[in-house]
Amino acid sequence: MPKAARFSRYGGPEVLTVEEVPLPEPGRGQVRVAVAAAGVNAIDWKIRSGFFAGSDAPDEPQGTGFDLAGTVDAVGEGVRSLRPGTAVFGKAATGAVATHALADADGLVAKPDWLSFPLAAGLPVVAETAYRTLRDLGLRAGHTLLIHAVSGGVGLVAAQLALSRGATVIGTASRGHHDFLTELGVRPVEYGEGLLERVRGVTDSVDLVLDAAGRDVLGLSVELTGDPDRVLTIADGNAGAHGVRFSGGGPDAAPLPEVFAEVLPMLESGALRLPIQQTFPLERIADAHRLSEDGHGRGKIVIEVG
């Protein structure tokens, strides 16, 4: 029987269970993917915890996860671009942490042979978010970009994309990540009290700020850039109080083929690195969420399913 990680009430990681479920059938424009691996992102546990909820409990059991990699095993009406047996990765239309998941065909990209399923599963959300936020910030060669939480998935991809485009990148991270970040070409600074002075100690000016941390750094970021339009957050719901833009994707999301036209060649050549922090089996999805919520990791957490 197919299995899926689901939750029927909001709360901590303990509300997640792995259950037998009916085999999902693809609708028009969709495919069914036999999932090999699924990525874990902060948005997953925020949804599970009820952060965005307007009620005490979901109306019905909910799946979890958006990122997946696997093999197409059924196609819905109108799908011409993908066939059963094609290895793909991208965003799921239903919970990705499952043995089988549905996805819109245009939300998937063919997986090259050199790319592993676990790494492919860790890419879609972080790569699209990094690409989109740099686009919306208007990053150009010669800019100095400050990234808060640069050692996380979004931060790492955004930093390496920005560096490849000729920008200087400063990033906040805990001390244990500094050597790795320096290898990439990032100028790391430790977050916490005194951050403003530490940033000013490594650069004369900051042109743009990407906040991937959500740790009350927006006021400081506006002070560094001198203009709230030069600051963008994906993690702080208090953005409006600082006049800062909040980017959550949705209709503004970048098309995955466009994103990976830039990202995949960099990955293949080694110009972009995205470490996998830890992998878990499907049955340990709750532990994966705990690790993600704990923060301070480097790179991606991945669920290996098949």
Side-chain angles (χ1 to χ4, degrees), residues 229-257:
D229 284 343
R230 292 176 172 267
V231 180
L232 187 148
T233 182
I234 62 169
D236 194 332
N238 200 34
H242 299 274
V244 169
R245 289 173 290 167
F246 182 94
S247 181
D252 296 324
L256 289 187

Side-chain angles (χ1 to χ4, degrees), residues 99-183:
T99 58
H100 299 78
L102 300 180
D104 294 334
D106 59 7
L108 297 173
V109 177
K111 185 188 78 65
D113 292 341
W114 56 263
L115 181 63
S116 71
F117 281 111
L119 180 54
L123 287 169
V125 164
V126 296
E128 187 280 325
T129 303
Y131 185 95
R132 164 174 36 90
T133 51
L134 295 185
R135 177 199 68 190
D136 293 349
L137 280 167
L139 180 91
R140 299 192 305 274
H143 276 154
T144 295
L145 170 69
L146 170 62
I147 302 176
H148 295 293
V150 73
S151 63
V154 172
L156 283 175
V157 177
Q160 292 172 89
L161 287 177
L163 288 166
S164 74
R165 298 175 187 180
T168 297
V169 179
I170 300 164
T172 64
S174 57
R175 178 67 61 178
H177 299 305
H178 285 202
D179 287 347
F180 175 76
L181 293 167
T182 301
E183 286 180 24

Side-chain angles (χ1 to χ4, degrees), residues 219-230:
L220 173 152
S221 300
V222 172
E223 185 174 350
L224 283 167
T225 62
D227 184 350
D229 284 343
R230 292 176 172 267

Side-chain angles (χ1 to χ4, degrees), residues 177-239:
H177 299 305
H178 285 202
D179 287 347
F180 175 76
L181 293 167
T182 301
E183 286 180 24
L184 297 181
V186 175
R187 300 179 186 178
V189 293
E190 198 160 6
Y191 53 75
E193 187 176 350
L195 176 59
L196 184 69
E197 291 74 21
R198 285 193 293 277
V199 171
R200 286 177 169 164
V202 298
T203 185
D204 292 331
S205 64
V206 173
D207 299 299
L208 304 168
V209 176
L210 169 58
D211 170 33
R215 293 179 176 170
D216 194 25
V217 291
L218 296 184
L220 173 152
S221 300
V222 172
E223 185 174 350
L224 283 167
T225 62
D227 184 350
D229 284 343
R230 292 176 172 267
V231 180
L232 187 148
T233 182
I234 62 169
D236 194 332
N238 200 34

Side-chain angles (χ1 to χ4, degrees), residues 39-134:
V40 176
N41 296 287
I43 187 67
D44 302 340
W45 55 260
K46 288 181 180 179
I47 292 172
R48 183 219 70 225
S49 68
F51 185 82
F52 304 107
S55 61
D56 293 335
D59 293 333
E60 56 186 21
Q62 302 291 308
T64 185
F66 292 94
D67 287 348
L68 58 72
T71 304
V72 174
D73 77 347
V75 301
E77 184 181 354
V79 176
R80 300 287 182 268
S81 58
L82 296 171
R83 296 181 179 180
T86 304
V88 293
F89 68 105
K91 295 184 180 181
T94 59
V97 184
T99 58
H100 299 78
L102 300 180
D104 294 334
D106 59 7
L108 297 173
V109 177
K111 185 188 78 65
D113 292 341
W114 56 263
L115 181 63
S116 71
F117 281 111
L119 180 54
L123 287 169
V125 164
V126 296
E128 187 280 325
T129 303
Y131 185 95
R132 164 174 36 90
T133 51
L134 295 185

